[in-house]
Amino acid sequence: MEMTNANSLTRESAIQTVQDEVMLNAAYIDGKWMTIEAPATDTADADSYDSNHDSSYDLYDSNSGTIIATTRLCTKAQVEMAVNAASMAYPSWSQTDVSVRASYLNAIAETMEQQFDKLVGLSVLNNGKPIEEAKIDVSDAIACYRYYANIITEQATWLEVPTSESGIRLLKTYAPVGICALIVPWNFPMVTTAWKLAPALAAGCTVLLKPSEVTLLPELMLGNILSAIKLPKGVVNILPGAAEVGAAMTCHPLIDKISFTGSNAVGEKVMSQAAKGIKDISLELGGKSAIVVCADADIDHACDLIIGGIFTNAGQICSATSRLLVHESIAQSLFDTLKVKAESLQIGDGFDTDTQMGPLVSEQQLNQVKKYFDIATAENLICLTGGEVLNRQGYFAMPTIYTNVPVTSQLWTEEVFGPVLVSQTFTDHAEAIALANDSQFALAASIVSADEKAAVEMALQIQAGHIWINEQQIVLPDSGWGGFKQSGIGRELGVDGLSAYQKSKHVLLSH
């Protein structure tokens, strides 16, 4: 991607972008920014606001724990306005030619590319990602919009379906599912938004998008981009808000589909809310993915894959390979190497170009990880390295590895969502597969082996929606993303991701 200048990725430049370009205290509704007014203090007007609604919300620099900016969050009132706007826009947008929709998707990608450094800077500032990780995120989001621009133009308008009856013709086409509520998490701002928004727009849906209130800064830039490309008003509405906004969206009778990425606890609530009105639903939830290192694996390469799978984004990844399964014959050698590599990771400020692992996103998430450190101590787990939060400004935890962890441990069974790796040894492939599958989650897995054929055979038996063999966790726009068991319902990305926002229609004709 083109860089604007050598000093474009600094904390100072990111803060300047916030001051100059990020629309705080506002929601993007019906093609324009609308100010979120502070709650009225008089009794008559206060009824339009939720009693628990706080008019102000602080956005933090997770590298330092300091406040970047203070904004206001939406209430149900803005949700109602956004639903009305999306409803008004739907008849026209749903019938727009696919080439026109594709042109808008490409325009989003092009404008994001022009704003590349600013988006990267806001992600580092508000999310804590190291610069190189933030660059990958913005690049992935751009690629996703372009991918769906291409795929929608390649999809046939009508398909003739063979029938068993002579004299009958059967035609198949695809229609948008309707008005969609998209709820995205804080760990990959812009990326998970693109995963949902690009196929929804490609399919002809109109959208209410709720980014996480924790990482609003890079997400709010999208409203400026949509205005710049002159996307028809009401097609996309952006509602910065907390749980009450998500609930208002998922419960609204005019919403046809909900796509949610987040925790299982919230996912269950979303699913329950979607049941009323029989809404279409996609859920991308938790994971406790395994990485299997076979006896013939190259130890140095295996350790790099292990570290990438658990310490990227400080472990705040739903697909993080947080359970290490290593063949007993190489376990000691691998742990010796892994310890050295983990302890050599440069932990620090995301704007420092030497940083390899940044902070956790918030104080709340840091406390969550610390809770599991305390559990590990109570369970007498063997800590190879780490096991502590860092005594410094910001929300930093040490890269942590526990060995010989019982499969009954909370750290083995529960999603920590932090830089915490638990490990076990195995004696043969059958035991490794059984251990990998012994989880309520089944989102992803990795296999490291010199024998590709054997690795593929293992992959066919491991319960997971996405499996890497001898590769880092690269996710392509072409590949469907989603899991089995309690890791969710449905798929994102790829052709499956477009299908999630479409319904098939059949027309029967006589010859």
Side-chain angles (χ1 to χ4, degrees):
M1 297 295 172
E2 182 180 352
M3 303 293 287
T4 54
N5 61 69
N7 298 317
S8 60
L9 291 175
T10 64
R11 174 168 281 99
E12 292 71 25
S13 65
I15 291 173
Q16 193 65 50
T17 300
V18 174
Q19 295 171 348
D20 294 345
E21 299 186 44
V22 176
M23 293 298 295
L24 299 171
N25 307 314
Y28 189 80
I29 300 174
D30 205 25
K32 58 184 179 295
W33 290 107
M34 300 180 67
T35 301
I36 303 170
E37 301 294 345
T41 56
D42 63 282
T43 306
D45 292 337
D47 288 342
S48 65
Y49 293 88
D50 294 293
S51 58
N52 294 325
H53 180 69
D54 185 358
S55 63
S56 64
Y57 185 84
D58 294 329
L59 298 169
Y60 287 87
D61 178 349
S62 53
N63 289 289
S64 64
T66 58
I67 296 173
I68 308 165
T70 298
T71 188
R72 284 193 290 273
L73 300 180
C74 292
T75 67
K76 295 176 184 177
Q78 283 79 37
V79 174
E80 197 64 39
M81 287 188 285
V83 170
N84 290 338
S87 298
M88 292 292 291
Y90 181 75
S92 175
W93 180 253
S94 63
Q95 298 301 313
T96 302
D97 189 83
V98 293
S99 64
V100 175
R101 286 183 241 148
S103 69
Y104 282 113
L105 289 169
N106 280 322
I108 292 172
E110 290 165 9
T111 310
M112 287 185 72
E113 201 163 47
Q114 294 164 7
Q115 301 286 319
F116 188 82
D117 285 1
K118 292 178 181 178
L119 295 173
V120 169
L122 292 177
S123 184
V124 177
L125 180 67
N126 196 187
N127 191 274
K129 291 174 182 282
I131 286 174
E132 291 306 314
E133 289 185 20
K135 287 180 181 179
I136 292 171
D137 284 3
V138 179
S139 298
D140 286 352
I142 291 168
C144 189
Y145 288 109
R146 288 203 167 116
Y147 172 79
Y148 282 105
N150 291 332
I151 198 173
I152 193 62
T153 55
E154 294 169 359
Q155 187 179 67
T157 304
W158 290 98
L159 294 173
E160 185 151 356
V161 181
T163 69
S164 57
E165 296 288 334
S166 61
I168 296 292
R169 292 174 64 208
L170 186 61
L171 301 181
K172 179 181 181 180
T173 188
Y174 295 94
V177 70
I179 301 169
C180 301
L182 312 182
I183 303 173
V184 299
W186 47 257
N187 58 332
F188 284 94
M190 295 177 285
V191 177
T192 44
T193 293
W195 286 16
K196 299 177 191 298
L197 182 59
L201 293 180
C205 300
T206 55
V207 166
L208 277 70
L209 170 67
K210 192 196 91 63
S212 169
E213 67 275 22
V214 178
T215 51
L216 283 176
L217 295 179
E219 299 279 36
L220 290 177
M221 290 287 281
L222 178 61
N224 298 347
I225 291 170
L226 300 180
S227 291
I229 68 169
K230 295 180 170 56
L231 185 75
K233 65 180 184 178
V235 173
V236 176
N237 304 275
I238 305 171
L239 303 173
E244 68 176 86
V245 170
M249 290 164 58
T250 56
C251 293
H252 201 286
L254 295 183
I255 295 292
D256 299 296
K257 179 184 176 66
I258 302 160
S259 180
F260 169 82
T261 298
S263 71
N264 284 66
V266 179
E268 289 180 4
K269 292 179 182 178
V270 170
M271 192 170 183
S272 176
Q273 292 161 355
K276 187 175 182 179
I278 320 297
K279 301 182 191 302
D280 193 309
I281 190 166
S282 298
L283 300 173
E284 205 269 89
L285 305 175
K288 194 69 181 178
S289 302
I291 179 166
V292 180
V293 181
C294 300
D296 59 359
D298 177 276
I299 287 176
D300 191 66
H301 180 55
C303 288
D304 289 340
L305 295 178
I306 293 165
I307 284 173
I310 186 59
F311 299 138
T312 297
N313 203 31
Q316 301 166 118
I317 309 176
C318 55
S319 62
T321 39
S322 56
R323 292 185 298 143
L324 167 62
L325 308 174
V326 55
H327 194 276
E328 61 182 8
S329 65
I330 62 167
Q332 189 57 56
S333 180
L334 181 135
F335 285 129
D336 290 344
T337 303
L338 188 60
K339 184 176 188 293
V340 171
K341 285 179 176 283
E343 291 177 350
S344 68
L345 286 174
Q346 294 295 310
I347 305 167
D349 191 310
F351 283 105
D352 186 338
T353 55
D354 292 330
T355 293
Q356 295 171 292
M357 192 182 94
L360 295 158
V361 74
S362 65
E363 184 177 14
Q364 178 181 353
Q365 196 60 27
L366 182 67
N367 289 335
Q368 169 81 351
V369 172
K370 186 179 183 301
K371 181 189 79 172
Y372 281 100
F373 289 158
D374 294 340
I375 292 171
T377 300
E379 292 182 347
N380 295 314
L381 299 187
I382 301 169
C383 186
L384 182 68
T385 186
E388 297 177 350
V389 299
L390 295 180
N391 184 23
R392 57 174 289 177
Q393 275 193 318
Y395 312 128
F396 293 88
M398 295 178 67
T400 299
I401 302 168
Y402 296 101
T403 58
N404 298 318
V405 176
V407 296
T408 55
S409 167
Q410 283 184 254
L411 275 76
W412 185 269
T413 60
E414 298 176 10
E415 185 177 37
V416 176
F417 226 61
V420 181
L421 179 70
V422 293
S423 61
Q424 267 279 352
T425 60
F426 64 88
T427 57
D428 56 33
H429 286 186
E431 184 182 10
I433 292 166
L435 284 167
N437 289 339
D438 185 22
S439 174
Q440 64 182 331
F441 302 109
L443 180 57
S446 288
I447 302 169
V448 191
S449 173
D451 187 341
E452 185 178 279
K453 181 180 178 181
V456 171
E457 289 176 354
M458 290 182 72
L460 294 174
Q461 298 176 68
I462 291 176
Q463 295 171 326
H466 205 103
I467 299 176
W468 297 273
I469 296 176
N470 299 324
E471 185 55 86
Q472 292 284 4
Q473 289 198 16
I474 297 169
V475 181
L476 303 174
D478 319 65
S479 59
W481 182 261
F484 300 90
K485 299 183 182 178
Q486 293 186 35
S487 284
I489 298 172
R491 293 291 182 269
E492 296 185 305
L493 297 179
V495 177
D496 293 343
L498 179 60
S499 298
Y501 295 92
Q502 293 179 320
K503 297 283 189 182
S504 62
K505 292 178 66 173
H506 290 81
V507 177
L508 189 146
L509 311 88
S510 63
H511 256 301

